[in-house]
Amino acid sequence: MTTDARRIQLQDNLNRTREAVAAACAAAGRAPESVRLVAITKTFPASDAAALTGLGQADLGENRDQEAAPKAAELAALGLEPVWHFVGQLQRNKARSVAAYADWVHSVDREPLADALDRGAESNGRRLNALVQVSLDGDTSRGGVPVSGIARLAERIAGLGSLDLRGVMAVAPLGWEPAKAFALLNECSEAVRRVDAGATEVSAGMSGDFREAVACGATMVRLGRNVLGEREPMA
């Protein structure tokens, strides 16, 4: 149960975050509606996710299936249907579960995972919006396909029956200037659009670098701390 004080805090945080994203859009000469705010609710209770949905925040993000699946089920039991974005690294054995509730998967970084998500979506009678996660520095240990492999993976996703290729996602590599990282991601977006002209989404930017991401063309920003506050350490 969300207290009145917590609900007011979330509303205030949400208002400030939306204003900050709108200001970033204005600074980049873009319309505020051109950037979607995905509120990352990981480690926070389902009650917070439900409260945000009630406050009109449509897009919620999670990065671990073992937390996201029960949270999505709890909100569904309340009759709440946010747009769920799965943004974390994903193993194939979790693909079927994620495909049952996620509307977007930002972290598709290899063909076997794309195939598993496709099978999971089909078995659940659903379609998934898929983003190619790019490893901008080539270090795939943190997730992402190397830049050289983008076109092949995009073509694979585009050819699957229950996935819709929608664009690209990346995290700025450690030690990189965000503007450099997101400029490269914009080039990667062009490569995916050559596979499917409609795959125009660019998921980029978190709490510390979303302004640079918006300046470089991001259409989704993934913000958690701004909206929900500081997280407790993971157990």
Side-chain angles (χ1 to χ4, degrees):
M1 179 69 69
T2 302
T3 65
D4 288 342
R6 178 58 170 163
R7 189 173 290 105
I8 291 169
Q9 180 186 47
L10 289 171
Q11 180 71 82
D12 289 345
N13 290 350
L14 190 57
N15 290 343
R16 281 195 295 271
T17 302
R18 287 172 172 167
E19 289 168 2
V21 173
C25 289
R30 300 177 59 190
E33 60 270 20
S34 67
V35 177
R36 182 189 314 218
L37 168 62
V38 181
I40 305 300
T41 52
K42 67 179 185 180
T43 77
F44 287 96
S47 57
D48 279 355
L52 286 173
T53 303
L55 293 170
Q57 175 56 35
D59 297 276
L60 303 181
E62 290 282 333
N63 75 335
R64 299 201 312 170
D65 177 63
Q66 57 265 45
E67 179 184 353
K71 195 176 292 185
E74 189 169 337
L75 264 65
L78 296 171
L80 300 174
E81 297 183 352
V83 178
W84 287 108
H85 297 250
F86 191 88
V87 302
Q89 286 184 267
L90 180 58
Q91 300 302 314
R92 277 187 295 167
N93 63 356
K94 296 291 187 180
R96 184 185 178 93
S97 175
V98 169
Y101 61 84
D103 302 285
W104 292 78
V105 179
H106 292 228
S107 48
V108 184
D109 61 359
R110 57 203 188 278
E111 293 182 26
L113 175 59
D115 294 342
L117 285 166
D118 182 62
R119 291 192 297 271
E122 183 179 15
S123 68
N124 283 287
R126 307 183 72 234
R127 298 192 66 81
L128 296 183
N129 297 298
L131 301 180
V132 174
Q133 182 180 356
V134 183
S135 173
L136 296 172
D137 62 355
D139 180 1
T140 58
S141 66
R142 295 194 303 275
V145 63
V147 172
S148 61
I150 292 170
R152 177 174 172 174
L153 179 55
E155 288 167 359
R156 181 60 163 264
I157 295 169
L160 294 171
S162 296
L163 299 189
D164 293 319
L165 177 65
R166 297 299 301 273
V168 295
M169 183 274 262
V171 177
L174 296 174
W176 281 41
E177 287 293 328
K180 172 188 173 183
F182 299 137
L184 176 55
L185 183 61
N186 204 26
E187 294 177 18
C188 297
S189 175
E190 293 176 9
V192 171
R193 293 199 305 273
R194 284 194 288 272
V195 175
D196 183 339
T200 58
E201 299 287 350
V202 179
S203 170
M206 298 187 291
S207 296
D209 56 18
F210 72 89
R211 294 171 180 84
E212 292 91 339
V214 169
C216 290
T219 64
M220 298 185 192
V221 292
R222 310 181 302 273
L223 305 181
R225 184 172 69 245
N226 311 63
V227 177
L228 289 125
E230 294 296 333
R231 293 188 173 86
E232 295 295 328
M234 293 293 290

